[in-house]
Amino acid sequence: MSMTPETPLPPKAERKALRPIPFLIFSSRWLQLPLYIGLIVAQGVYVVLFLKELWHLFAHAFDFSEQQIMLAVLGLIDVVMISNLLVMVIVGGYETFVSRLNLQGHPDQPEWLSHVNASVLKIKLAMAIIGISSIHLLRTFIEAGALASGKSSYTETGVMWQTIIHTVFILSAIGIAYVDKLSNDSAENAKHAAVSHR
């Protein structure tokens, strides 16, 4: 879990040196650094993809029908939402599992980062995945209007499965949020019990 501003680092003089094995285990978290750097590279690829899609939309602005423009814009929104998901994983994951970013007081610090931990990150990722899935499903529903004419690249079975998968994502997010609420409630009850025994 991330150390938030409420849990400041102790002075260097008070910090205990770790024994070799715990030090090795704790230092192994830095093996995740290349993974986050790889995600930053993937973010750059998504920027290129966004610009390519935007240029495609601009070049065909007078040729496309309203439906084609809507699908192109939904494609741009999809790229942005996946990019937002990448930022959450990179920034939140690094802060939670690798090292503190020490952004306290920085004007651009994301609001959610001040209280991020593994549970918060899971819920935010689940909500982002639902958002991305919703955009995909909306694009599918728009294109599914051409199913009867046979011009659509989708089938009825494909649309049905996409809807089922989206529903599973929603149920999974509700389950994650419920389990997180239960664990928070039990932690609060334990804290109240400890206070009342004093």
Side-chain angles (χ1 to χ4, degrees):
M1 286 172 66
S2 170
M3 294 180 76
T4 60
E6 291 80 32
T7 56
L9 286 171
K12 280 192 176 181
E14 294 178 21
R15 293 183 210 166
K16 292 196 302 186
L18 292 173
R19 296 191 311 275
I21 297 298
F23 177 77
L24 176 66
I25 292 168
F26 186 58
S27 298
S28 69
R29 73 194 192 281
W30 287 103
L31 289 172
Q32 291 191 22
L33 184 60
L35 306 181
Y36 292 114
I37 291 170
L39 288 179
I40 292 169
V41 172
Q43 178 94 321
V45 171
Y46 265 100
V47 170
V48 172
L49 177 64
F50 181 89
L51 294 174
K52 182 179 146 191
E53 292 288 326
L54 186 61
W55 173 253
H56 182 69
L57 175 62
F58 181 74
H60 296 280
F62 296 105
D63 308 335
F64 280 177
S65 65
E66 184 184 350
Q67 182 175 328
Q68 287 173 310
I69 290 172
M70 193 188 306
L71 288 170
V73 170
L74 285 174
L76 293 175
I77 293 170
D78 190 32
V79 171
V80 170
M81 291 184 80
I82 292 173
S83 187
N84 290 343
L85 178 62
L86 280 169
V87 168
M88 272 194 281
V89 172
I90 294 165
V91 177
Y94 184 88
E95 171 88 8
T96 304
F97 300 110
V98 180
S99 182
R100 296 172 82 175
L101 291 169
N102 294 321
L103 295 175
Q104 287 77 28
H106 193 283
D108 294 330
Q109 179 190 2
E111 179 272 327
W112 54 269
L113 194 59
S114 62
H115 54 269
V116 73
N117 57 39
S119 296
V120 171
L121 198 56
K122 271 190 291 188
I123 292 169
K124 287 197 172 293
L125 293 179
M127 296 310 294
I129 289 167
I130 289 169
I132 293 164
S133 175
S134 298
I135 295 295
H136 278 268
L137 199 57
L138 183 56
R139 287 177 71 183
T140 302
F141 286 160
I142 290 168
E143 288 194 39
L147 272 175
S149 64
K151 294 179 182 176
S152 175
S153 57
Y154 295 95
T155 63
E156 287 183 18
T157 308
V159 173
M160 181 192 72
W161 276 110
Q162 209 169 338
T163 307
I164 290 169
I165 291 167
H166 180 71
T167 306
V168 169
F169 283 151
I170 292 171
L171 292 174
S172 299
I174 292 169
I176 290 169
Y178 181 69
V179 168
D180 187 56
K181 183 185 181 307
L182 287 179
S183 61
N184 286 341
D185 288 349
S186 62
E188 284 293 320
N189 290 339
K191 196 184 291 183
H192 288 300
V195 169
S196 62
H197 280 303
R198 287 181 185 174

